[in-house]
mmCIF file of all heavy atoms in Angstrom:
data_model
loop_
_atom_site.group_PDB
_atom_site.id
_atom_site.type_symbol
_atom_site.label_atom_id
_atom_site.label_comp_id
_atom_site.label_asym_id
_atom_site.label_seq_id
_atom_site.Cartn_x
_atom_site.Cartn_y
_atom_site.Cartn_z
ATOM 1 N N CYS A 113 5.135 -46.496 -5.437
ATOM 2 C CA CYS A 113 4.585 -47.847 -5.454
ATOM 3 C C CYS A 113 5.700 -48.844 -5.087
ATOM 4 O O CYS A 113 6.807 -48.776 -5.626
ATOM 5 C CB CYS A 113 4.033 -48.166 -6.845
ATOM 6 S SG CYS A 113 3.540 -49.886 -7.061
ATOM 7 N N ASN A 115 5.739 -51.923 -5.697
ATOM 8 C CA ASN A 115 5.894 -52.918 -6.759
ATOM 9 C C ASN A 115 6.672 -52.395 -7.961
ATOM 10 O O ASN A 115 7.678 -52.976 -8.377
ATOM 11 C CB ASN A 115 4.507 -53.414 -7.191
ATOM 12 C CG ASN A 115 4.610 -54.529 -8.218
ATOM 13 O OD1 ASN A 115 5.417 -55.448 -8.053
ATOM 14 N ND2 ASN A 115 3.818 -54.441 -9.264
ATOM 15 N N CYS A 116 6.204 -51.217 -8.513
ATOM 16 C CA CYS A 116 6.814 -50.728 -9.754
ATOM 17 C C CYS A 116 7.586 -49.420 -9.587
ATOM 18 O O CYS A 116 8.263 -48.983 -10.505
ATOM 19 C CB CYS A 116 5.753 -50.582 -10.844
ATOM 20 S SG CYS A 116 4.628 -49.204 -10.543
ATOM 21 N N GLY A 117 7.440 -48.778 -8.449
ATOM 22 C CA GLY A 117 8.206 -47.551 -8.214
ATOM 23 C C GLY A 117 7.583 -46.294 -8.778
ATOM 24 O O GLY A 117 8.185 -45.224 -8.739
ATOM 25 N N ALA A 118 6.340 -46.387 -9.273
ATOM 26 C CA ALA A 118 5.668 -45.208 -9.829
ATOM 27 C C ALA A 118 5.342 -44.209 -8.708
ATOM 28 O O ALA A 118 5.025 -44.612 -7.591
ATOM 29 C CB ALA A 118 4.383 -45.619 -10.538
ATOM 30 N N CYS A 127 -2.008 -48.288 -7.127
ATOM 31 C CA CYS A 127 -1.067 -47.711 -8.074
ATOM 32 C C CYS A 127 -1.767 -47.541 -9.419
ATOM 33 O O CYS A 127 -2.448 -48.448 -9.890
ATOM 34 C CB CYS A 127 0.139 -48.646 -8.223
ATOM 35 S SG CYS A 127 1.298 -48.087 -9.483
ATOM 36 N N LYS A 129 -0.331 -47.251 -12.183
ATOM 37 C CA LYS A 129 0.444 -47.872 -13.253
ATOM 38 C C LYS A 129 0.265 -49.400 -13.263
ATOM 39 O O LYS A 129 -0.053 -49.975 -14.296
ATOM 40 C CB LYS A 129 1.906 -47.514 -13.070
ATOM 41 C CG LYS A 129 2.743 -47.648 -14.338
ATOM 42 C CD LYS A 129 4.134 -47.107 -14.122
ATOM 43 C CE LYS A 129 5.048 -47.399 -15.318
ATOM 44 N NZ LYS A 129 6.441 -47.055 -14.996
ATOM 45 N N CYS A 130 0.471 -50.038 -12.086
ATOM 46 C CA CYS A 130 0.418 -51.497 -12.051
ATOM 47 C C CYS A 130 -0.764 -52.030 -11.257
ATOM 48 O O CYS A 130 -1.024 -53.223 -11.271
ATOM 49 C CB CYS A 130 1.726 -52.067 -11.482
ATOM 50 S SG CYS A 130 1.913 -51.768 -9.725
ATOM 51 N N GLY A 131 -1.521 -51.165 -10.560
ATOM 52 C CA GLY A 131 -2.720 -51.599 -9.866
ATOM 53 C C GLY A 131 -2.474 -52.215 -8.497
ATOM 54 O O GLY A 131 -3.396 -52.711 -7.868
ATOM 55 N N THR A 132 -1.241 -52.199 -8.013
ATOM 56 C CA THR A 132 -0.948 -52.749 -6.693
ATOM 57 C C THR A 132 -1.658 -51.943 -5.610
ATOM 58 O O THR A 132 -1.699 -50.721 -5.667
ATOM 59 C CB THR A 132 0.572 -52.707 -6.438
ATOM 60 O OG1 THR A 132 1.230 -53.451 -7.464
ATOM 61 C CG2 THR A 132 0.933 -53.291 -5.072
HETATM 62 ZN ZN1 ZN B 1 2.879 -49.828 -9.210
#
Side-chain angles (χ1 to χ4, degrees):
C113 172
N115 184 45
C116 71
C127 175
K129 201 173 172 189
C130 71
T132 302

